[in-house]
């Protein structure tokens, strides 16, 4: 293949825009005026050999060919070191775009063509053809770039980087109107800060003012022409040393909204073709500025609306506790949504944390969210208990749907009443994700809580309350599912990702809140002091509640105040036997860093036996208290299950086919120590395991059981 191309005097080249390197063979190198040998060039080295107008055409034609799936063909003038054209070559390629690297990859051919004699009809047609191809490629590129600009600053950046074929301006300015004054929206190539101090009456004899008054463009090809036509304002332009100026109207829907100045350091004749290009660019600039202005107004309106619906936390004065919150609306369109949070002072001296998610993330969802938030705050301020607050809120939301079927929505919600004195949390849940707790040693547990249907579905729904205790040094996270189920994650994998962030974070509460959002969606800030980030999936709301405490030590070491304790509690009710499975998972999370997996399996087995015995042999609920205690002799786990039954457990000798009666035998076999303690009305059965750092030996776990006599 290479021999055939060489016989046809055709060279081959390969260009990868990700690396910025161009590989040429012997023929292509010779056609570019280089030694006839295969070599690798950088983009600047190639560009220095080509006419600058043709380089602009290459980039535009490549983008067009990728968009249309066609060949990219372009005529290129090769220049020598003195800037003279030495030959004209034709390049053909089929470019491809790599979306992962965001780069173009091209392999093509290079062949010399005979340039028509200047002045002949063929020569004039060639020049016109080159100009038209360059103009079309430039306008296509400029139109795409301006269509993607979403703010006034982005429009200005695109305008500053426009490279027009053969007559690119080196200075530009965009003028607007404020009342009867001409103002500068932005500029490039002029003195910094000029836009802040420029104000001129529209009736002034100044080109931009005349363009806005008349709606007609002004072209000034020379300083003499400028000075003769606008002598009063000539000093404004004289100090910049430009040679030609074009002032064009920015027209939207038949109304002139501003003017665009393109200033040139070299003389420009402003031929009909050049004026056509400038006019087309001015129209695209006007449309882009109009879209950007509308989008900025909508963002300002919706962000103000969202801020007005959310509480301003500020420095919370909660004795012994700290609160941090974040809200990030979905990206694209109007940045409003149905997620919310609230912190409500209660008449009892306690306070309530509320977080919820109204179905949808549009203006209607935001409106319903605002109504629901006000209703919840009113019910809480009346002193109702958490279950009553959610029951009333559900009836309220159900009533909105009955009154207007078009506003039929449901909402998930988590309501937590907090006693800052003792850390007791009363949790009521309406279809919302469970809270998670980060312990002082960075262990993270999800806290299973009883719950009911989402608000607004059943006006008579009940919402049972779960009581948990936030120990000193612990931090509770509650959030909406937008923080969890993002980037292809479900609830399980999403929680695993958040657990990793919580476990490894070593900063304050505010830094932790930022880290949770940044890890999922990139840098962001509060809804109050900074801009909201652009997102693409679902709204986010999160609340962090931390109870202050002393350093309790980490790992298996000794803390400053004695042995470190990792503790969790869980209630399994008679009507919820499925929570035995939750308790097993809860214990595994508590023992996530335990050295012996066999001991963890043993502890989970014994816990399952103890809870099942309570549910089967009594008519009371079971309370699980699990602890990991670290001291000088190493760590040990203590698992205790308490119930209100009167009958004490006793050893039995089950038959070979018996389905029960082996609970105490298993505890005696697997636990290091165990016992049964009467507790007034009821009893507790417990066992302990000392952490083993060597592989377990069969039967070595428990040889010191104390039996049920305690």
């Amino acid at each position: 293949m290479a021999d055939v191309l060489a016989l046809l005097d055709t060279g081959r080249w390969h260009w990868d825009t990700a690396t910025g390197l161009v590989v040429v063979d012997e023929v292509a190198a010779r056609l570019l005026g280089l030694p006839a040998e295969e070599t690798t060039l950088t983009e600047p080295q190639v560009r220095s050999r080509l006419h600058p107008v043709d380089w602009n055409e290459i980039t535009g034609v490549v983008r067009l060919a990728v968009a249309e799936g066609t060949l990219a063909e372009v005529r290129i003038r090769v220049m020598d070191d003195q800037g003279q054209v030495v030959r004209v070559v034709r390049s053909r390629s089929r470019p491809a775009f790599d979306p992962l690297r965001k780069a173009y990859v091209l392999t093509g051919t290079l062949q010399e063509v005979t340039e028509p004699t200047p002045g002949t009809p063929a020569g004039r047609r060639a020049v016109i053809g080159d100009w038209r191809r360059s103009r079309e490629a430039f306008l296509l590129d400029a139109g795409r770039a301006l269509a993607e600009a979403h703010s006034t600053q982005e429009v200005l950046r695109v305008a500053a980087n426009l490279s027009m074929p053969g007559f690119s301006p080196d200075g530009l300015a965009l003028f607007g109107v404020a009342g009867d004054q001409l103002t500068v929206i932005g500029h490039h190539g002029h003195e910094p800060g000029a836009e802040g101090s420029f104000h001129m009456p529209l009736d002034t004899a100044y080109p931009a003012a005349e363009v806005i008054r008349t709606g007609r463009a002004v072209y000034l090809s020379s300083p003499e022409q400028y000075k003769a036509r606008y002598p009063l304002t000539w000093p404004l332009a004289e100090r910049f040393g430009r040679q030609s100026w074009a002032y064009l109207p920015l027209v939207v829907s038949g109304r002139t909204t501003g003017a665009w100045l393109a200033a040139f350091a070299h003389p420009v004749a402003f031929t009909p073709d050049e004026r056509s290009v400038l006019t087309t660019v001015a129209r695209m600039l006007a449309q882009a500025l109009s879209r950007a202005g509308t989008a900025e107004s909508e963002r300002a309106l919706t962000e103000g609306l969202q801020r007005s619906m959310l509480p301003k936390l500020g420095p919370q004065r909660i004795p012994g506790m700290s609160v941090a919150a974040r809200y990030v609306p979905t990206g694209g369109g109007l940045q409003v949504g149905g997620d919310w949070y609230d912190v409500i002072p209660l008449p009892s001296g306690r306070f309530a944390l509320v977080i919820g998610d109204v179905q949808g993330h549009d203006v209607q969802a935001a409106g319903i969210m605002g109504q629901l938030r006000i209703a919840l705050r009113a019910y809480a301020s009346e002193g109702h208990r958490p279950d009553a607050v959610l029951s009333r809120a559900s009836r309220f939301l159900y009533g909105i749907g009955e009154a207007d079927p078009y506003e039929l929505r449901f909402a998930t919600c988590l309501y937590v009443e907090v006693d800052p004195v003792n850390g007791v949390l009363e949790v009521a849940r309406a279809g919302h994700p469970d809270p998670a707790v980060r312990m002082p040693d960075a262990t993270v547990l999800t806290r299973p809580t009883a719950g009911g249907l989402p608000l607004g579905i059943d006006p008579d729904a009940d919402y049972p309350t779960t009581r948990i205790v936030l120990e000193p040094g612990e931090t509770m996270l509650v959030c909406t599912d937008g923080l969890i189920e993002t980037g292809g994650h479900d609830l399980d994998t999403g929680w695993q990702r958040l657990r990793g962030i919580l476990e490894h974070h070593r900063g304050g509460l505010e830094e932790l809140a930022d880290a949770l959002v940044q890890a999922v969606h990139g840098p962001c800030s509060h809804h109050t002091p900074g801009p909201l980030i652009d997102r693409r999936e679902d709204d986010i709301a999160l609340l962090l509640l931390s109870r202050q405490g002393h350093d309790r030590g980490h790992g298996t070491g000794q803390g400053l105040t004695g042995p470190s304790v990792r503790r969790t509690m869980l209630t399994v009710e008679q009507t919820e036997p499925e929570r035995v499975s939750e308790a097993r998972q809860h214990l595994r999370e508590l023992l996530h860093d335990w050295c012996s997996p066999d001991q963890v399996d043993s502890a989970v087995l014994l816990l399952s036996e103890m809870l099942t015995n309570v549910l089967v042999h009594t008519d009371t609920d079971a309370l699980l208290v699990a602890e990991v205690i670290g001291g000088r002799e190493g760590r040990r786990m203590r698992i205790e299950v308490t119930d209100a039954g009167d009958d004490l457990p006793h050893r039995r000798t089950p038959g070979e086919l018996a389905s029960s009666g082996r609970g105490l035998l298993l505890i005696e076999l697997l636990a290091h120590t165990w016992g049964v303690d009467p507790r007034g009305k009821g009893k507790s059965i417990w066992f302990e395991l000392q952490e083993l750092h060597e592989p377990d030996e069969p039967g070595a776990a428990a040889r010191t059981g104390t039996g049920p006599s305690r």
Side-chain angles (χ1 to χ4, degrees):
M1 183 64 179
D3 294 338
V4 174
L5 291 176
L7 288 174
L8 297 175
D9 199 28
T10 300
R12 296 179 72 251
W13 54 268
H14 177 79
W15 180 17
D16 188 339
T17 61
T19 62
L21 299 178
V22 182
V23 180
V24 296
D25 67 2
E26 297 88 342
V27 177
R30 177 177 57 79
L31 292 176
L32 292 176
L34 298 170
E37 58 186 17
E38 183 175 336
T39 185
T40 300
L41 307 171
T42 64
E43 288 182 9
Q45 289 174 324
V46 175
R47 188 170 185 171
S48 67
R49 312 297 302 178
L50 309 180
H51 194 284
V53 173
D54 297 342
W55 177 264
N56 293 332
E57 182 177 358
I58 291 172
T59 56
V61 169
V62 165
R63 293 189 180 96
L64 179 60
V66 170
E68 297 180 348
T70 59
L71 285 174
E73 181 174 343
V74 61
R75 291 161 56 93
I76 307 170
R77 286 166 289 182
V78 180
M79 315 290 289
D80 60 16
D81 295 337
Q82 286 73 41
Q84 301 297 318
V85 177
V86 295
R87 65 176 54 86
V88 178
V89 296
R90 178 185 291 111
S91 171
R92 289 190 177 98
S93 66
R94 183 177 291 278
F97 182 72
D98 186 344
L100 295 178
R101 299 189 305 154
K102 297 182 179 179
Y104 293 95
V105 179
L106 305 89
T107 299
T109 61
L110 207 64
Q111 189 176 38
E112 186 171 5
V113 297
T114 302
E115 185 72 6
T117 303
T120 65
R124 286 192 293 271
R125 286 195 299 271
V127 171
I128 294 172
D130 284 344
W131 160 261
R132 286 176 177 171
R133 284 194 298 272
S134 298
R135 181 183 65 181
E136 290 168 359
F138 160 73
L139 292 176
L140 177 64
D141 188 33
R144 288 174 176 167
L146 288 171
E148 295 172 357
H150 299 297
S151 68
T152 301
Q153 289 302 316
E154 290 180 9
V155 173
L156 291 173
R157 282 196 296 270
V158 172
N161 292 319
L162 292 179
S163 182
M164 299 182 191
F167 66 113
S168 295
D170 69 328
L172 62 87
L174 291 173
F175 296 91
V177 179
D180 61 351
Q181 297 287 312
L182 181 70
T183 63
V184 174
I185 300 173
H187 64 88
H188 172 71
H190 297 84
E191 296 175 355
E195 70 275 14
S197 58
F198 186 92
H199 292 277
M200 178 183 293
L202 281 177
D203 58 0
T204 304
Y206 181 64
E210 179 179 319
V211 166
I212 293 176
R213 291 196 308 268
T214 64
R216 294 192 298 270
V218 172
Y219 298 99
L220 303 169
S221 300
S222 66
E224 292 75 19
Q225 188 177 0
Y226 195 126
K227 184 177 181 179
R229 188 167 175 181
Y230 302 98
L232 294 179
T233 55
W234 163 244
L236 293 176
E238 182 180 14
R239 67 177 187 269
F240 295 108
R242 299 312 196 302
Q243 298 299 310
S244 298
W245 300 261
Y247 291 84
L248 295 104
L250 300 176
V251 180
V252 178
S253 301
R255 184 171 63 91
T256 302
T257 60
W260 171 45
L261 161 63
F264 302 85
H266 56 278
V268 179
F270 297 119
T271 64
D273 281 328
E274 291 169 341
R275 294 190 183 197
S276 174
V277 171
L278 290 169
T279 300
T280 303
V281 173
R283 290 171 181 166
M284 291 190 296
L285 276 173
Q287 295 295 329
L289 286 171
S290 176
R291 289 193 302 269
T294 301
E296 288 170 347
S297 298
E298 289 176 347
R299 282 196 294 270
L301 174 63
T302 55
E303 289 173 11
L305 172 65
Q306 199 74 51
R307 283 196 297 269
S308 68
M309 291 183 175
L310 291 173
K312 297 175 176 58
L313 285 184
Q316 291 292 313
R317 300 185 180 277
I318 303 173
M321 290 191 168
S322 302
V323 179
R326 295 292 182 272
Y327 172 75
V328 184
T330 187
L334 298 178
Q335 295 212 17
V336 296
D339 290 20
W340 87 96
Y341 65 83
D342 207 348
V343 181
I344 308 171
L346 300 178
S348 61
R350 302 179 178 183
F351 67 96
L353 299 181
V354 187
I355 194 163
D357 181 1
V358 174
Q359 173 198 8
H361 42 78
D362 51 20
V363 175
Q364 184 183 7
I368 295 175
M369 177 270 286
Q371 298 178 65
L372 184 57
R373 173 178 171 258
I374 293 172
L376 278 161
R377 178 171 277 265
Y379 298 142
S381 298
E382 290 176 352
H384 297 292
R385 300 291 297 164
D387 55 341
V389 170
L390 290 192
S391 295
R392 285 167 167 77
S394 184
R395 284 195 292 271
F396 171 81
L397 187 56
Y398 184 84
I400 292 179
E402 279 192 321
D404 186 352
Y406 291 102
E407 292 191 2
L408 181 60
R409 300 284 180 109
F410 64 84
T412 66
C413 183
L414 187 75
Y415 183 97
V416 184
E417 184 174 315
V418 182
D419 187 339
V421 176
N422 53 26
V424 173
L425 311 178
E426 301 279 353
V427 183
R429 187 169 58 87
H432 202 81
D434 283 310
V437 172
R438 181 182 187 268
M439 295 181 169
D441 66 350
T443 297
V444 178
L445 301 178
T446 53
R447 292 286 193 178
T449 57
L453 293 172
L455 305 178
I457 294 180
D458 181 0
D460 300 319
D462 293 326
Y463 297 96
T465 300
T466 302
R467 174 176 292 187
I468 60 178
V469 178
L470 194 66
E471 301 287 350
E474 291 185 342
T475 299
M476 180 183 67
L477 164 68
V478 293
C479 64
T480 56
D481 57 4
L483 187 67
I484 306 171
E485 299 177 311
T486 298
H489 288 274
D490 57 22
L491 279 174
D492 291 334
T493 60
W495 268 125
Q496 291 299 326
R497 175 175 54 175
L498 296 182
R499 176 178 281 111
I501 300 168
L502 291 166
E503 288 176 345
H504 294 96
H505 182 75
R506 292 295 182 270
L509 203 64
E510 295 291 339
E511 291 80 3
L512 176 57
D514 285 334
L516 288 166
V517 178
Q518 290 173 10
V520 178
H521 301 291
C524 78
S525 61
H526 295 272
H527 68 277
T528 43
L532 299 173
I533 64 172
D534 185 21
R535 298 190 347 95
R536 292 287 180 265
E537 295 191 36
D538 197 3
D539 307 330
I540 282 178
L542 69 90
L543 273 169
L544 290 168
L545 175 68
S546 178
R547 187 179 180 195
Q548 299 165 8
H550 298 292
D551 184 1
R552 302 169 67 92
H554 298 280
T556 60
Q558 188 86 358
L560 297 178
T561 59
S564 62
V565 178
R566 184 190 301 171
R567 178 185 297 110
T568 185
M569 299 171 58
L570 184 67
T571 300
V572 178
E573 299 182 5
Q574 283 284 334
T575 57
E576 297 179 318
E578 67 276 3
R579 299 202 71 190
V580 174
S581 174
E582 294 180 2
R584 290 196 294 262
Q585 181 60 32
H586 205 60
L587 182 58
R588 288 192 180 277
E589 292 178 356
L590 186 75
L591 302 174
H592 69 99
D593 57 351
W594 200 260
C595 290
S596 171
D598 289 343
Q599 284 188 306
V600 175
D601 291 339
S602 297
V604 171
L605 172 62
L606 298 183
L607 172 65
S608 184
E609 285 287 336
M610 294 159 64
L611 292 175
T612 303
N613 283 340
V614 173
L615 297 182
V616 171
H617 298 295
T618 75
D619 58 357
T620 65
D621 302 332
L623 173 64
L624 162 67
V625 178
E627 295 179 335
V628 175
I629 304 169
R632 301 180 189 275
E633 296 79 19
R635 292 194 301 177
R636 60 187 171 90
M637 71 171 84
R638 178 183 174 90
I639 313 299
E640 182 176 347
V641 174
T642 302
D643 66 82
D646 296 328
D647 296 333
L648 294 177
H650 56 277
R651 293 187 184 90
R652 289 190 290 171
T653 306
E656 183 177 346
L657 300 179
S659 60
S660 63
R662 296 182 175 85
L664 291 183
L665 293 178
L666 288 173
I667 295 176
E668 188 173 42
L669 175 65
L670 298 175
H672 284 122
T673 59
W674 65 281
V676 178
D677 296 337
R679 293 291 175 88
K681 184 179 180 181
K683 60 184 178 300
S684 68
I685 182 170
W686 57 270
F687 68 86
E688 293 184 356
L689 284 172
Q690 196 75 26
E691 186 171 21
L692 298 178
H693 296 275
E694 299 295 334
D696 294 355
E697 300 178 8
R703 299 188 177 91
T704 57
T706 60
S709 59
R710 295 188 63 180

